[in-house]
Amino acid sequence: PPDVASVRKVTQNTEPIAIRERTVDGFTREFLRELNFGQGVDLSRASVNDQYLALARTVRHYLMVRWLETLRRQYELQAKSVAYLSAEFLLGRQLDNALLASGLQDVVEEGLGNLGIDLATLRDAEVEPGLGNGGLGRLAACFVDSLATMNVPCIGYGIRYEYGIFRQTFVDGWQVEKPDNWLALGSPWEFPHPEAAVTVSFGGHTETYDDEGTERTRWVPGWSVLGVPYNYMVPGFENGRVNTLRLWSAQATRAFDLEIFNAGDYAEAVRAQTFAENISKVLYPEDSTPQGKELRLQQQYFFVACSLANFLEEVLPEDFDLRRLPERIIFQLNDTHPVIAIPELMRILVDERKWNWDDAWAVIQKVFAYTCHTLLPEALEVWSADLLGRLLPRHLEIIYRINEEFLDGVRERYPDDELRVRRMSIIAEHPERSVRMAFLATVAGTKVNGVAALHSQLLADKVLHDFSEYFPEKFTNVTNGITPRRFVRLANPGLSGLITGAIGDGWVTDLERLKELEPLADDAEFRRLFREIKTNNKHRLVDVLRERDGIELDPDTMLDVMVKRLHEYKRQTLKLLHVVSLYERITSGVLDIDKVTPRTFAFGAKAAPGYRMAKQIIGLINAVGRTINEDPAVKGRLSIAFPANYNVTLAETLIPAADLSEQISLAGKEASGTGNMKFALNGALTIGTDDGANVEIRQLVGDDHFFLFGLTEPEVADVVDAGYHPTSYYESNKTLRHALDLIASGKFSGGDRHVFEPVVANLLQEDRFLVLADFQAYLDAQDRVDAAYADTDAWTRSAVLNVARSGFFSSDRSMRDYIDRIWHTPPIDPNA
Ligand code: HBZ
């Protein structure tokens, strides 16, 4: 197993590890052995789950040799690594990716086939680890995939939630959350290492003491828990490298138990256990409005303290001089969730290693970098000083001191500008004293990056403007990317085969080579094959939705897809108003049904359980869907498909089938988007605003192959500054009025006018995200979509060009940018 202690043993071990035979017979033997000795069952009596677990373990054996080898070489080379600190890793299913990375797909398929087992059935037995909310968590998973593939040493550090993102169900069209018990049937991809557990402390108080003439502080914690590491393999694509993802699970400390046991209270001891284990029990399902809950801060400090201790004490050699830490590591902070690592490392250096403050601070400023993923002010994490001080008293003191010294510098640079000092303070005073985590990360980090060009610009110009003036050299951009292995090669085997047939298979690790497809956009036979693949992907989706959700989807319609978290700024309501408007105009005779392009409007979206408006909108989409799907007047023309529980697995069949990708957030609100990239790379055309990475997608694919609409960010700012009045749009636009009135009439709620009143009222009275202001422009753009879709050949040509010109959005490129601009961690030469 790959913890450092055993790696050291492996280094000394001269016995070669038997390389497993990569033949069908060799695989079959290994698989049956796992079934018999691992699962303890005969093939004849093995359940699908038995077979899946045996297969997973067999595959991981093949990767294991490479994992150990990677760790051994890394230890020898002492190369600089990336520690990607992220509260979320939204991995998706592991089996297929492991098969692809290890090059075992064909051998396994044939071997299983000989035994009468269908690989696809076993694939479907895997429950995906949903250890993330959405884009941010999935980005972390794409990044570690790319780093492994690019031969860059990386450890992903995060939390092994016992329950991931909730399973969404619909009851009468309303979202009901069910726990995601992803571990119930066993998790064959993880390697627990209880012997390497780390103790993490909380609470208590601080005290000063005299240390041979120097006054020092020590933290006397009140309680502690254990962090048990679970290691996961992160295999590179066909390159023999396997990096590590280390997720922490909380357990009660033995000491804690014992103390209470000795006091004779068994029940109390068990309660303590439960209390400790709560820390990694469940992923918080809020993706934008942090609630400031104590347990959440416990989670953050828990995983960060475990990770720092693990890196400093286990990964680095025992005698390592921490002054050289910047040569060995960069801690990338995935949003503010791990930012408490900054005072934690200060505490370790100053209190435990007894460094002076300035030396410690100098190192800190070289080993942390911060990625921001939002522009919404309410999404910026702020911790109440009271809460933070109770849970982590020493860390709060350290934050105060960092702030004092920082503000001294600000005062020096801007004398007599107390307003600015107050604006820039890491500590806010109103409405209560609190710590602004984004500011702390910016002050302490070597770099701050946004996740798309527009986002980074707005960060520097608006959200963190004072800071970009003060530290201009810290601000940079790295546009997000997605892994082509999972989202093209695995998700879209048809398209992958077509591409490889045309330009060879180099594109899988060098996605810019898709450019070579450009001339083929003008090749009629290529376009025919491309279309055929899209159709096949739709048929595959039809099967999946029928089986999974009982949804009947018409594969002969345009598939228009909006999948992402439900959020007002993303504007699912704008898309819904388009559908309602079409329906209203058809049924009232304004629009000739024969002129309407047959479309399936697909939605996939989870709402944060406490986000009432988002849940209302889900209810409304389902209600409109029910009415429209049952109405013979629009049969074969309009339908809504809203499968519950959109997740990575569903994305993998939905995205390759899509014709149209909806990326319609209000300009200036979506930091980047990554779904937008997945669609373009799978040959969907985008209808989108000038927001996030849409801007870059449009620039690359070209205006003629992208349906742009809506206010630009500066226009939004002007409209808002001038005082936005949604009712004026309602009053002056008949189409809009009729659509909204139809909802308000109770048409979709069995005549009950109250049910969706809050949604309509919110749009009419507040409409924070300017849905009504962009409505007409959106409808016009949808008319352009229809016109373009009518010319099948031209549409296919645009789709091919979208694929050919989207190579930039590989997460391999994002990683190269991080390496060049922030990390400076060269790949390991595989021949060294
Ligand atoms: O991060 C998303 C952005 O909205 C999206 O534009 C971007 O493409 C993506 C990757 O950079 N942000 C999130 O997904 N955010 C969260 O999931 C989140 C989770 C917990 C929080 C706050 C935000 O406390």
Side-chain angles (χ1 to χ4, degrees), residues 38-180:
Q39 282 304 108
V41 292
D42 247 355
L43 182 56
S44 61
R45 300 185 58 88
S47 67
V48 168
N49 192 54
D50 287 325
Q51 295 173 7
Y52 161 68
L53 290 175
L55 174 59
R57 294 213 188 86
T58 309
V59 175
R60 80 178 196 176
H61 280 166
Y62 281 89
L63 287 166
M64 178 56 80
V65 180
R66 292 158 173 202
W67 197 8
L68 296 175
E69 177 64 12
T70 302
L71 287 158
R72 188 188 58 75
R73 269 165 39 81
Q74 203 149 298
Y75 193 77
E76 266 170 25
L77 293 172
Q78 298 286 311
K80 185 169 177 180
S81 297
V82 179
Y84 200 80
L85 298 181
S86 179
E88 305 187 3
F89 286 90
L90 186 46
L91 297 172
R93 285 180 177 167
Q94 295 299 291
L95 175 61
D96 234 9
N97 189 54
L99 286 174
L100 178 70
S102 57
L104 283 168
Q105 270 176 324
D106 294 345
V107 163
V108 166
E109 188 141 26
E110 194 182 331
L112 291 177
N114 293 341
L115 298 173
I117 299 170
D118 178 20
L119 173 56
T121 308
L122 302 198
R123 265 189 208 124
D124 284 339
E126 180 170 359
V127 183
E128 73 167 75
L131 309 186
N133 272 288
L136 172 153
R138 182 55 234 177
L139 189 76
C142 284
F143 282 4
V144 293
D145 176 88
S146 282
L147 289 171
T149 295
M150 295 163 72
N151 256 307
V152 176
C154 167
I155 310 178
Y157 280 117
I159 302 174
R160 179 184 178 270
Y161 300 104
E162 212 174 306
Y163 294 87
I165 185 70
F166 63 84
R167 189 163 56 80
Q168 179 191 51
T169 64
F170 295 141
V171 175
D172 298 331
W174 303 102
Q175 171 176 297
V176 173
E177 303 87 21
K178 295 275 156 57
D180 161 53

Side-chain angles (χ1 to χ4, degrees), residues 88 133-137 139 286-288 290 296 337 373 451 480 569-570 670-674:
E88 305 187 3
N133 272 288
L136 172 153
L139 189 76
E286 276 84 36
D287 71 330
S288 56
R296 171 86 171 154
H337 318 140
H373 295 266
V451 289
N480 282 167
Y569 84 79
K570 295 179 188 279
E670 188 68 272
S672 163
T674 45

Side-chain angles (χ1 to χ4, degrees), residues 168-176 605 614-626 642 644 748 755-756:
Q168 179 191 51
T169 64
F170 295 141
V171 175
D172 298 331
W174 303 102
Q175 171 176 297
V176 173
K615 289 181 127 175
Q616 284 271 327
I617 294 168
I618 286 178
L620 179 57
I621 298 171
N622 278 323
V624 172
R626 210 179 309 131
F642 190 173
F748 304 112
V755 183
F756 299 114

